[in-house]
Amino acid sequence: MSPHNRSIFLGVDVGTGSARAGLFDEAGKLLGSASSPIQIWKEGDCVEQSSTDIWLAICTAVKRALSLSDVAGEVVTGIGFAATCSLVAVDSEGQPVSVSWSGDTRRNVIVWMDHRAVKQAERINSFNSPVLQYCGGSISPEMQPPKLLWVKENLQESWSMTWRWMDLSDWLSYKATGDDTRSMCTTVCKWTYLGHAHMQHIDENSSRDMEACGWDDDFWEEIGLSDLVDGHHSKIGRSVAFPGHALGCGLTSEAAQARKFELGLVTGTPVGTSLIDAHAGGVGVMESVPESEANESVDEDAICRRMVLVCGTSTCHIRSQGASCSSPVSGDHFAMVPELWLTEGGQSATGALLDYIVDNHVASSHLGNLAASQNISLFQMLNNLLLQMMHDIGTPFIAALTADLHVLPDFHGNRSPIADPNAKGMICGLNLDTNERQLALQYFATVQGLAYGTRHIIEHCNEHGHKIDTLFASGGLSKNSLFIQEHADIIGCPIILPRESESVLLGAAILGAVAAKKYPTLRDAMKALNAPGQIIHPSKDPRVKKYHDAKYRIFRQLYEQQLSHRSIMAEALS
């Protein structure tokens, strides 16, 4: 096939620490990818970034990915963006507006993990608005309304200057196309937009540039943000579209040209409405079923039994279904794939927690140097050390190494299923050892604690009408074999890894494929471009199940103990 006749789709993903770009062919195979770091400011509960810095990192990554893939910019058929659900503030000229106590205009992005608005979230939840039923009954400080309220109450000048408040992925597509249409995914999942108001708009002709009729004006007025209702919600979104629908006239000439701050692509290249990064991971993996199950995927019930774990800095647990369940985990959203409801849960710190546990141990530096000398990652070194410890000690299976060490991984609060942003992390079973083996055990117990948290989320789902029996895993942590095997053993479900490990990039690229009209629907594109890789099965050893059942009981008790401790201290301080 002539290179000019083939279709190549570009996916862009902005994570917490870097911007990445990947190019995929018509079979969903990764041709090449590149990344570029982005700056982050952390001061207490405040975590901020710069949209200018993020766009420069994207341009750098895209041009590097084109070069590494030996792909010319004019060959790219469509583009899609995915990003963390961070909050961007820009003025009437599209320039950054500071959201920082520092007043630094570069710092115009409140990062998703920022917890400055815990009190505002508690106040919003006290109103018990009907929209909260679609957020699992309560709003998180990681969502946008509490952060908006915080800015209005604390940075009045910035509040007055801001012309548009945007989810980061929506800002990226706006920057690329000049089209301010917002994504159904971002607005529903992080802004309380009621996406099911558009259930009749799922076909191609009626779903473009839909008037934003899903905002609940009473909610915004009740929480003290009635000014966001003005101008037909112009500051937060006057029109919405389902993910993958073509925006504007494609790439603007300003965004396309091959200068320092631009992409090096062709003006007019179709750009699809965006997704939150975790949901792009869902789109990039959810149809990665083995051939033996491919026919089953036409059955709506089949997709309802699947859950995708998008495991990175945090983990998002994503599941789609044909009808709303009666008692959601973090709310049922009409948000990701048209015609399907989305149920999601999450853990606010997974990769970030493992980094914290490892980096703050005295043995980390020495072990890191040793790993570098062997040209392997520090986590692979830890996994190898645990295998050696199992053989040296003679434990019956590797998980038994942590019989005396238990971790509650809520170091950044509990997003699901408890929805307690005030939850804290706990480690039970420490001693005075400071050697590499003790670090390996603490790391391993943390991996298990994260897996017990996922088990808790899945059990909560299944107790409320779901029937999850198959997991898919994507994101950086899915490349850690110990992390995935422990999840399979602890949850008791097989875990399917996609053929292409960069599933978030693939999900973003699929948005571009749909925008370019290469597939009639998002679901069709998913079926064509998703593909399965390795399948990880849970251990068949009954001792492993018995062991994890026991540790899971302790895991659940740790939070109950924390609640008791909290109550005792509150009484002492009253």
Side-chain angles (χ1 to χ4, degrees), residues 12 18 24 32 50 86 133 163 195 207 222 237 253 259 286 301 311 335 338 349 402 455 457 478 489 497 564 570:
V12 174
S18 66
F24 296 84
S50 161
S86 300
Q133 67 180 296
W163 192 252
S207 64
E222 185 177 53
S253 58
R259 297 189 300 273
M286 192 168 279
D301 288 342
C311 321
T402 61
R455 174 171 167 175
I457 290 169
S478 68
D489 291 347
L497 301 178
S564 175

Side-chain angles (χ1 to χ4, degrees), residues 287-297 306 470 472 496 531-533 535:
E287 290 289 353
S288 299
V289 293
E291 284 189 24
S292 60
E293 299 177 27
N295 291 334
E296 194 181 320
S297 66
R306 306 172 192 162
T470 303
F472 297 81
I496 300 174
I535 302 176

Side-chain angles (χ1 to χ4, degrees), residues 52-283:
T52 303
D53 176 61
I54 288 170
W55 185 254
L56 176 58
I58 287 172
C59 295
T60 302
V62 167
K63 285 180 279 194
R64 193 174 295 159
L66 289 168
S67 176
L68 291 172
S69 307
D70 195 23
V71 170
E74 60 265 23
V75 181
V76 174
T77 311
I79 308 165
F81 292 97
T84 63
C85 44
S86 300
L87 178 65
V88 183
V90 293
D91 65 17
S92 58
E93 302 298 321
Q95 296 303 306
V97 175
S98 177
V99 293
S100 172
W101 283 120
S102 69
D104 186 342
T105 55
R106 293 175 301 168
R107 295 157 70 164
N108 71 316
V109 179
I110 301 180
V111 180
W112 65 270
M113 65 170 62
D114 183 291
H115 270 207
R116 71 181 69 185
V118 170
K119 291 183 179 179
Q120 284 77 12
E122 291 172 351
R123 197 185 322 149
I124 291 170
N125 288 328
S126 70
F127 291 113
N128 199 28
S129 169
V131 301
L132 298 183
Q133 67 180 296
Y134 298 98
C135 308
S138 64
I139 207 164
S140 163
E142 294 175 13
M143 294 175 66
Q144 310 305 12
K147 292 174 179 174
L148 291 164
L149 188 56
W150 184 94
V151 175
K152 183 176 182 179
E153 293 176 347
N154 293 278
L155 300 174
Q156 187 57 238
E157 184 177 355
S158 293
W159 182 258
S160 300
M161 288 177 59
T162 300
W163 192 252
R164 286 185 176 92
W165 293 102
M166 308 184 79
D167 230 79
L168 177 55
S169 59
D170 284 330
W171 179 82
L172 297 176
S173 59
Y174 168 69
K175 177 74 173 174
T177 67
D179 188 338
D180 188 25
T181 298
R182 310 298 175 97
S183 169
M184 186 76 78
C185 175
T186 59
T187 52
V188 169
C189 296
K190 299 300 173 184
W191 296 72
T192 73
Y193 189 82
L194 302 177
H196 51 281
H198 299 282
M199 291 183 74
Q200 73 275 25
H201 293 145
I202 57 176
D203 63 279
E204 165 65 22
N205 293 327
S206 64
S207 64
R208 292 194 45 160
D209 301 323
M210 300 179 294
E211 182 181 352
C213 63
W215 293 117
D216 186 320
D217 293 352
D218 291 341
F219 166 75
W220 293 103
E221 292 171 6
E222 185 177 53
I223 69 172
L225 294 176
S226 59
D227 35 350
L228 296 181
V229 175
D230 297 343
H232 300 285
H233 315 95
S234 60
K235 289 188 176 183
I236 57 175
R238 295 183 64 170
S239 64
V240 297
F242 286 102
H245 286 286
L247 291 169
C249 297
L251 274 185
T252 63
S253 58
E254 292 81 10
Q257 300 306 311
R259 297 189 300 273
K260 180 180 179 182
F261 277 91
E262 314 308 336
L263 297 168
L265 301 169
V266 174
T267 299
T269 304
V271 177
T273 310
S274 62
L275 281 166
I276 296 169
D277 55 353
H279 299 147
V283 166

Side-chain angles (χ1 to χ4, degrees), residues 35 57 83 139 164 175 196 207 256 309 329 348 372 425 427 430 473 494 516 537 553 562 573:
S35 67
I139 207 164
R164 286 185 176 92
K175 177 74 173 174
H196 51 281
S207 64
L309 311 182
V329 180
S348 293
I427 302 177
L430 293 174
H537 295 278
R553 288 199 303 273
Q562 184 174 139
L573 292 170

